Amino acid sequence: QVQLQESGPGLVKPSQTLSLTCTVSGDSIDNGDFYWSWIRQPPRKGLEWIGYIYKSGSTYYNPSLKSRITFSVDTSKNQFSLKLSSVTAADTAVYYCARESFRETIDYWGQGTLVTVSS
Amino acid sequence: IQLTQSPSSLSASVGDRVTITCRASQGIGTYLAWYQQRPGKAPKVLIYAASTLQSGVPSRFSGSGSGTDFTLTISSLQPEDFATYFCQQLNSYPRTFGQGTKLEIK
């Protein structure tokens, strides 16, 4: 059973950088043809797809956030990470890491972690 | 690609048959998934490829459609089905979600 777990600070100050890591267990990031993704959900709102990173390190970022996002992957630790710079209150959300089976579905999700942007 | 779900909210009773629709702003073939989200939980996939039931999901859930118009049907509502439902297109990037349909108990 594949499991994903987000970790990182729950509070970030405005203008600073939000950093989250997703640890994958139950399978290797190197196995299969999966796209390791980040999705966020502001309080009481809908889902916003942030982007993905592939095991090779290739990425796709949502154009709405592209100038502020950086993804990375560490296959030796079976982890992938998100950095979002210059955050504002609008970036307050529950952040999910997830696995996409290409063009089929997001079949595994982390439990989500709430990140609040506030001074 | 914009996805528009209707209705945004729905009140129904246990045993009812309900249908939620998702319309795409352009054709996406059958690259559509449906998710259920309970409060405080991560979404869970119900249907992928527009009509394929995810393993372990009860058969009262079904999906149909292709191109721009899709539906999720719950044939006989159970108490655990009261939740929010989202569609997602996986045809192109960036991936996008519908705004959600909140299913409430009447």
Side-chain angles (χ1 to χ4, degrees), chain A:
Chain A
Q1 176 77 349
V2 177
Q3 293 185 313
L4 295 88
Q5 177 69 58
E6 305 88 354
S7 58
L11 181 64
V12 181
K13 289 182 167 51
S15 80
Q16 294 191 342
T17 296
L18 180 162
S19 297
L20 295 174
T21 295
C22 183
T23 300
V24 180
S25 59
D27 198 3
S28 169
I29 284 180
D30 269 338
N31 289 344
D33 193 25
F34 301 111
Y35 289 70
W36 302 94
S37 307
W38 291 96
I39 295 120
R40 70 180 183 178
Q41 185 172 34
R44 295 171 298 283
K45 292 190 177 179
L47 298 161
E48 181 180 25
W49 185 85
I50 300 172
Y52 77 75
I53 186 164
Y54 193 61
K55 57 188 177 183
S56 63
S58 64
T59 58
Y60 185 97
Y61 302 139
N62 192 320
S64 67
L65 297 167
K66 185 176 181 179
S67 63
R68 298 194 289 133
I69 306 174
T70 304
F71 291 166
S72 60
V73 62
D74 186 336
T75 54
S76 67
K77 294 182 179 179
N78 227 29
Q79 295 177 332
F80 60 104
S81 299
L82 157 73
K83 290 187 186 298
L84 179 65
S85 63
S86 305
V87 298
T88 69
D91 295 309
T92 293
V94 174
Y95 286 76
Y96 295 101
C97 61
R99 186 184 88 167
E100 179 187 310
S101 294
F102 183 59
R103 295 190 93 184
E104 286 194 337
T105 186
I106 296 174
D107 52 2
Y108 291 100
W109 298 70
Q111 65 183 27
T113 187
L114 174 63
V115 179
T116 301
V117 178
S118 174
S119 55

Side-chain angles (χ1 to χ4, degrees), chain B residues 21-43:
Chain B
T21 66
C22 178
R23 175 163 289 175
S25 58
Q26 63 190 75
I28 58 171
T30 57
Y31 295 108
L32 187 102
W34 288 97
Y35 302 89
Q36 176 193 67
Q37 186 179 34
R38 297 192 175 103
K41 300 294 186 182

